[in-house]
Amino acid sequence: MKRFLMLPLMLLTFILLSACSPANEQTPATDTSGQQENHEGDEENIPDIPTTGNNGQYLILFCSRTNNTERLAQQIQSQLDCDILEVQPAQPYEEDYNAMLNRAQEELAAILQGNYPPISTSMDNFDKYDFIFVGYPIWYGSMATPMQTFLHEHASKLAGKHIALFATSGSSGISTSVNEAAKLCPESEILSSTLLLTSSQLSEMDSRVTSWLEQLNIQTANNNNMEKNQIRLAANGKSFTATLVENSSTEALKARLSQGNINIQMNDYGDMEKVGSLGFSLPRNDQQTTTGPGDLILYQGNSFVIYYDTNSWNFTRLGKIDGVSTREQVLDLLDGKGEVTVTLSLK
Ligand SMILES: Cc1cc2nc3c(=O)[nH]c(=O)nc-3n(C[C@H](O)[C@H](O)[C@H](O)COP(=O)(O)O)c2cc1C
């Protein structure tokens, strides 16, 4: 089909879909139950505090006008038992659907000119989070405007963080909004695995979230599977774990570890990492990667690197030390700066 016919047809499809689902539009806008009513002091720029779960290593940010994305966010939250925060526009969503369509079009056009519509949500820092889940409805093929503003305003604070995107739509895809997220947060790692539920898939929410989190190799509250992909590291009497990603490099590393522990003499480099020779080579799965504190990296196939700060390079991701998110935490585990011998073993 010719491209110029596809966009009007796509928009017609979602308008028809929305018109056919009055229940969706009759739902009162954004039920904030369970969320903090902390927008009163916005004029004074008081940062918001997420509603906390027991697993403080993950944060879910979402915006939602008719609750579809909110329900998806809550499903992820219930499986991870983690922190969650709703991003809200400064001016409440229009209740009238056509008025909302007009407003969204105007706001999306303004964003293209660099003018972001104001929001009433802000956060101080994201230091304690390894992973940040960012969810939004698709508007005219794009990320809904409140989330675009939030990412724009917090881009520097989100540098080095892993961001997992999820969205709901009538029928449109998520890929345009993935590109938007990458432009809005150029120094974050936008994960390639995303979750999109179109209106006909909302009923599969539970199972779709479970399999997505498995794909992301994220440990859920109900699924304490230690046999996952973990190894143990020890340095100067301190012992801690790391979760490996799944690739041929980590498979080969685990095969090596099954024959015995590996000792690596590591030194600081560039005030961002400790690096040491493995003494053998592993298969490489190099790709452009932005590191954060705790990331385990394979450099040129034979050097093992533990990052305590950010760097962008073409190398192989091996995994991440569990439960750390700051430079200080990683350096503390590794006994600060200076030479250290790190022992890798299977758990
Ligand atoms: C302003 C606006 C624009 C939309 N644009 C699209 C679109 O381009 N493609 C699509 O499939 N759905 C579109 N939709 C439908 C929403 O993406 C869909 O209903 C979504 O699940 C709403 O999420 P929410 O309930 O979290 O607000 C649009 C809805 C609105 C209000």
Side-chain angles (χ1 to χ4, degrees), residues 71-72 75 79 195-211:
R71 278 171 42 226
L72 183 53
Q75 179 61 238
Q79 295 203 23
L195 177 64
L196 171 76
L197 293 187
T198 60
S199 52
S200 62
Q201 297 168 330
L202 289 171
S203 55
E204 304 159 14
M205 203 174 266
D206 190 349
S207 60
R208 292 289 300 272
V209 167
T210 306
S211 52

Side-chain angles (χ1 to χ4, degrees), residues 2-275:
K2 292 217 163 50
R3 290 197 75 171
F4 67 85
L5 282 178
M6 284 184 67
L7 186 62
L9 269 181
M10 193 177 81
L11 293 178
L12 185 66
T13 315
F14 97 77
I15 289 167
L16 286 177
L17 269 171
S18 310
C20 292
S21 358
N24 200 22
E25 281 305 307
Q26 278 161 16
T27 315
T30 35
D31 166 13
T32 53
S33 55
Q35 300 303 305
Q36 303 227 347
E37 283 294 337
N38 43 10
H39 300 289
E40 248 82 319
D42 293 320
E43 305 79 48
E44 299 155 37
N45 286 328
I46 297 174
D48 293 81
I49 299 165
T51 303
T52 50
N54 287 315
N55 186 347
Q57 125 190 65
Y58 306 121
L59 170 68
I60 299 168
L61 298 165
F62 73 95
C63 66
S64 179
R65 174 175 165 269
T66 48
N67 291 0
N68 292 338
T69 315
E70 177 170 16
R71 278 171 42 226
L72 183 53
Q74 284 168 345
Q75 179 61 238
I76 299 170
Q77 200 274 339
S78 77
Q79 295 203 23
L80 289 178
D81 193 9
C82 65
D83 296 3
I84 185 164
L85 180 70
E86 179 172 6
V87 171
Q88 306 217 26
Q91 179 196 339
Y93 297 111
E94 312 296 329
E95 293 207 5
D96 178 77
Y97 187 54
N98 287 325
M100 190 63 234
L101 292 180
N102 290 337
R103 170 173 160 186
Q105 271 182 307
E106 283 166 16
E107 290 184 352
L108 288 166
I111 285 176
L112 290 179
Q113 305 300 316
N115 301 317
Y116 288 80
I119 53 174
S120 61
T121 310
S122 70
M123 267 189 76
D124 235 357
N125 70 67
F126 299 88
D127 289 353
K128 65 185 267 218
Y129 302 111
D130 292 336
F131 264 84
I132 297 165
F133 292 83
V134 171
Y136 46 85
I138 301 292
W139 287 358
Y140 291 100
S142 283
M143 178 185 297
T145 55
M147 192 55 82
Q148 292 208 41
T149 301
F150 185 91
L151 295 183
H152 169 71
E153 290 180 355
H154 294 79
S156 58
K157 292 177 181 167
L158 289 165
K161 297 287 172 191
H162 302 113
I163 295 184
L165 301 175
F166 64 96
T168 68
S169 77
S171 60
S172 294
I174 196 171
S175 58
T176 301
S177 67
V178 175
N179 294 335
E180 288 164 341
K183 281 201 188 115
L184 288 161
C185 297
E187 292 183 70
S188 306
E189 194 193 338
I190 310 293
L191 302 183
S192 54
S193 174
T194 57
L195 177 64
L196 171 76
L197 293 187
T198 60
S199 52
S200 62
Q201 297 168 330
L202 289 171
S203 55
E204 304 159 14
M205 203 174 266
D206 190 349
S207 60
R208 292 289 300 272
V209 167
T210 306
S211 52
W212 186 48
L213 295 178
E214 271 171 20
Q215 215 178 76
L216 291 173
N217 204 13
I218 282 182
Q219 215 154 304
T220 60
N222 303 329
N223 179 19
N224 191 17
N225 39 0
M226 295 299 278
E227 103 311 313
K228 268 270 158 169
N229 237 351
Q230 282 184 314
I231 56 168
R232 183 160 291 283
L233 294 87
N236 266 349
K238 283 189 184 145
S239 172
F240 47 97
T241 61
T243 301
L244 300 180
V245 297
E246 276 178 16
N247 57 30
S248 55
S249 320
T250 55
E251 282 313 309
L253 176 64
K254 283 187 290 182
R256 277 280 183 158
L257 287 171
S258 67
Q259 294 162 19
N261 296 353
I262 300 169
N263 293 320
I264 310 167
Q265 202 175 324
M266 304 190 78
N267 281 291
D268 300 279
Y269 179 78
D271 195 33
M272 60 187 175
E273 63 179 48
K274 282 195 193 287
V275 56

